Amino acid sequence: MYSDKKNVLQLVALLRAHGIRRAVLCPGSRNVPLVQAFATCEDFECFSVTDERSAGFFAVGLALHVQAPVVVCCTSGSALLNLHPAVCEAFYRRVPLVVISADRPAAWIGQMDGQTLPQPGVFGGLVRKAVNLPEVRTGEDEWYANRLVNEALLEVDHHGYGPVHINVPLSEPLFQFTAEALPSVRRMVRRDMSDEGRTLSFFLKEELPKYRRVLVVSGQMSSDEAAGVAACLSGSRVAWLAEVLGNCPSASDAVRGFDALLYAAREEDLQALRPDLVITVGGHVVSKRLKQFLRRTPSLVHWHVSPDGLPADLFCALTTVVEASPADFFRLFFRSEALPSGAYAQLWHESCARLASPETGYSEMYAVRRVLEALPPHAVLHLANSSAVRLAELCRLPEGVEVQCNRGVNGIEGSVSAAVGYAAVSDRLNFLLVGDLSFFYDMNALWNGHIRSNLRIVVLNNGGGAIFHALPGLDMAGDTRRFVTASHGASAAGWAESQGFTYLRVTDTVSLLAALDDLLDEAATAPVLLEVFTDAETDAEEQRNYYHAVKEEWIKRCSLRKG
């Protein structure tokens, strides 16, 4: 029987799944659930060493001889510190040492309770990866524990060997052994371009025949990266979803408008669209609906292709990290004899083609569509976060427009500064679409001597954080609304004009259409700031009406097809 601690069960089961077979065990009480698991599982050869200082080096010696990772497991408190010399030796000699430490619950650290000290991260830069497992109480906790252990074990032999540290907090009672067996666990693996791609080619040959519905999702990428992906995927009959931030050419075969599709589609439609395998390339994905759709897809398998080989478990289904450039990966991918048939890709394209694109009244949605669809070819479009980047997803950009966005952490700060810095050394027209809060937060970006006439800023001003009006379930009665949305009555006019901008004010459809000529004038000798004033309640209502109309038209068209 095994401990009932699910973080322990995940850890020991994953060590076994990753092929680790030797464990050096030190005495203690806090680590009893761990020690008991290793001793019970017949797949592990266990060694008992009392002194942690000696145990660490004993494990180093084992690993050096067998040329494979070895576990050293200790109890909480100063016991862990005694492993420091061995960890240091393993780091500089590149020895695959897996340090596992039992720990007290975080609430008791520093409270004069016995054998407590801050254990997470105690080895600093002397380990390749340090993780602190959660105590598992929910399904998400269990996924998190699984992910952290996988991430740590993937680093043991990533570009050479080295030590990793896995800290395991354990609450009392410690001695309940009710699990009859170790659980089945998800093991992550890493594949790369070693042997001139032969290793990866063999993997694709073995794995691809298992999947009928393969979905490629390209997140944020530079134009150069996107061009390489598009060259491989265009005409390939692979289902390929690309957002605006993916910088994929408009003429490519990427599926667009899928966020609205996932809103409008009925459950039976979504079932037909669910993939068996999803392959992600690039960076962040904006669509929350897509993330939720894939996280709810049963038995999904996820491969993430990344030049740095680092895992990103966006859909809670990651099994394989491919360390390669997306272009290199897809060149090997399309040499495989077991490629998708094309019917699945056609289903995505046909479904998005059936979507309506309803017109809206004057609002920020209306203004964004009019501005973005009128951009000149080969312009650079900078998007702020929140409403700006999401509204841009509803537009089809002209061919050649490059898209930039601070999507690393999706914050409100720095969108204006990043656009100004980019435009300062760019030979193209640079357009920034930004909400009022994001603009005013970063308005000192205009307070420098590097502003050039190639900069165009469109500020969506509806008196606060309009995106919060659309959050489901948020009751903003009374003062809550003022505090959440940061309501204001500010205008960018004075600041923009004092910094040498041509200022344009828009309050309705007529003034917007009239201002577009000045905004898009490539011969302008001064930077331009266009401030679009709308009503927050109207903006929220127009978005609701838009999605309602899309859904109604989808249901209508699906009914006609059945008839």
Side-chain angles (χ1 to χ4, degrees):
M1 301 292 281
Y2 294 87
S3 169
D4 63 354
K5 304 294 186 185
K6 291 186 177 181
N7 53 2
V8 170
L9 296 175
Q10 280 287 326
L11 171 57
V12 177
L14 278 167
L15 288 165
R16 182 176 65 177
H18 279 265
I20 297 173
R21 292 293 180 263
R22 295 169 181 86
V24 179
L25 307 177
C26 301
S29 60
R30 188 63 48 168
N31 64 333
V32 164
L34 290 158
V35 169
Q36 193 268 350
F38 285 118
T40 301
C41 182
E42 295 180 353
D43 293 314
F44 291 96
E45 182 180 6
C46 297
F47 302 82
S48 175
V49 180
T50 301
D51 187 326
E52 287 84 10
R53 293 170 299 176
S54 178
F57 283 101
F58 185 97
V60 167
L62 280 176
L64 286 170
H65 179 73
V66 300
Q67 290 294 295
V70 171
V71 168
V72 58
C73 176
C74 71
T75 194
S76 62
S78 57
L80 177 61
L81 301 183
N82 287 312
L83 290 172
H84 220 133
V87 169
C88 187
E89 182 73 11
F91 180 78
Y92 285 110
R93 289 187 68 186
R94 299 181 180 272
V95 177
L97 186 67
V98 180
V99 178
I100 297 175
S101 55
D103 198 0
R104 306 293 175 113
W108 290 103
I109 308 301
Q111 304 307 305
M112 296 190 292
D113 198 31
Q115 291 184 295
T116 59
L117 57 86
Q119 293 184 192
V122 72
F123 297 116
L126 293 176
V127 290
R128 290 168 157 239
K129 184 78 174 181
V131 299
N132 187 47
L133 303 190
E135 296 203 67
V136 176
R137 296 182 175 88
T138 67
E140 185 172 274
D141 290 340
E142 193 159 15
W143 161 77
Y144 186 33
N146 174 280
R147 196 198 87 199
L148 289 175
V149 175
N150 270 301
E151 288 179 357
L153 298 181
L154 284 177
E155 288 307 305
V156 170
D157 60 357
H158 188 203
H159 297 306
Y161 292 119
V164 298
H165 176 207
I166 301 172
N167 193 60
V168 189
L170 297 168
S171 296
E172 295 183 7
L174 298 172
F175 313 132
Q176 294 183 347
F177 305 109
T178 58
E180 295 183 358
L182 294 176
S184 297
V185 290
R186 174 189 56 154
R187 176 196 172 199
M188 297 181 190
V189 298
R190 183 184 282 111
R191 307 294 180 183
D192 58 32
M193 294 288 290
S194 58
D195 304 322
E196 298 179 343
R198 285 190 290 272
T199 300
L200 187 55
S201 294
F202 180 78
F203 168 74
L204 292 172
K205 181 179 179 180
E206 291 292 308
E207 291 295 316
L208 271 180
K210 300 176 182 178
Y211 309 105
R212 292 176 52 252
R213 296 183 291 184
V214 179
L215 182 67
V216 175
V217 177
S218 55
Q220 185 173 22
M221 290 188 289
S222 70
S223 295
D224 290 342
E225 291 174 312
V229 171
C232 295
L233 292 178
S234 294
S236 66
R237 300 187 303 170
V238 169
W240 171 29
L241 309 188
E243 295 183 315
V244 166
L245 298 187
N247 271 309
C248 296
S250 299
S252 72
D253 293 335
V255 176
R256 289 176 171 77
F258 58 83
D259 189 79
L261 170 63
L262 294 175
Y263 175 84
R266 303 160 301 179
E267 185 56 39
E268 61 195 83
D269 306 319
L270 293 176
Q271 192 60 36
L273 292 170
R274 293 191 188 280
D276 305 316
L277 168 67
V278 60
I279 302 172
T280 52
V281 297
H284 286 250
V285 174
V286 176
S287 173
K288 187 174 182 179
R289 291 190 183 97
L290 177 61
K291 287 180 274 195
Q292 291 175 335
F293 168 68
L294 292 174
R295 287 170 189 170
R296 291 196 295 260
T297 296
S299 304
L300 180 69
V301 173
H302 174 200
W303 299 352
H304 180 57
V305 182
S306 174
D308 59 18
L310 297 180
D313 194 11
L314 182 60
F315 312 122
C316 306
L318 183 67
T319 60
T320 303
V321 182
V322 179
E323 185 167 343
S325 73
D328 285 343
F329 169 79
F330 284 119
R331 276 192 284 270
L332 292 177
F333 180 91
F334 287 113
R335 291 178 193 167
S336 172
E337 298 175 357
L339 292 176
S341 68
Y344 181 62
Q346 185 178 0
L347 176 63
W348 273 96
H349 279 288
E350 290 179 350
S351 297
C352 285
R354 292 203 303 271
L355 287 173
S357 184
E359 286 295 326
T360 61
Y362 178 74
S363 60
E364 63 176 10
M365 178 183 284
Y366 175 88
V368 168
R369 177 173 288 186
R370 290 291 174 266
V371 170
L372 297 194
E373 293 181 354
L375 291 178
H378 309 300
V380 180
L381 172 63
H382 302 264
L383 296 172
N385 284 303
S386 293
S387 292
V389 69
R390 288 172 172 80
L391 290 173
E393 284 295 335
L394 302 177
C395 305
R396 180 169 287 274
L397 300 182
E399 177 73 23
V401 172
E402 177 185 342
V403 182
Q404 295 286 335
C405 181
N406 288 354
R407 203 64 193 168
V409 288
N410 315 344
I412 189 176
E413 60 280 333
S415 296
V416 186
S417 294
V420 169
Y422 193 103
V425 292
S426 172
D427 59 359
R428 302 160 68 179
L429 277 182
N430 284 255
F431 293 81
L432 167 65
L433 181 67
V434 59
D436 47 8
L437 294 188
S438 188
F439 174 80
F440 291 125
Y441 194 93
D442 195 25
M443 62 190 297
N444 279 344
L446 308 188
W447 188 24
N448 67 68
H450 307 289
I451 307 292
R452 298 171 56 210
S453 60
N454 66 337
L455 181 63
R456 308 284 190 272
I457 299 177
V458 179
V459 179
L460 305 173
N461 191 339
N462 55 15
I467 194 170
F468 300 113
H469 290 261
L471 293 177
L474 176 59
D475 180 12
M476 293 197 296
D479 279 345
T480 302
R481 178 184 301 274
R482 177 167 58 91
F483 291 126
V484 170
T485 65
S487 303
H488 65 85
S491 168
W495 183 237
E497 290 173 338
S498 70
Q499 299 305 307
F501 280 75
T502 298
Y503 175 79
L504 306 172
R505 177 185 175 90
V506 166
T507 57
D508 53 29
T509 301
V510 175
S511 58
L512 172 64
L513 297 178
L516 284 181
D517 289 339
D518 291 327
L519 179 73
L520 302 172
D521 182 9
E522 297 189 36
T525 58
V528 178
L529 189 146
L530 170 66
E531 190 165 17
V532 180
F533 289 90
T534 60
D535 175 72
E537 294 288 354
T538 301
D539 290 339
E541 184 65 22
E542 288 292 342
Q543 286 197 43
R544 285 192 291 269
N545 291 342
Y546 174 87
Y547 281 108
H548 179 74
V550 168
K551 190 158 196 164
E552 289 294 308
E553 186 64 20
W554 171 267
I555 294 173
K556 177 182 176 182
R557 293 184 183 186
C558 287
S559 299
L560 290 174
R561 288 176 73 245
K562 286 183 178 180

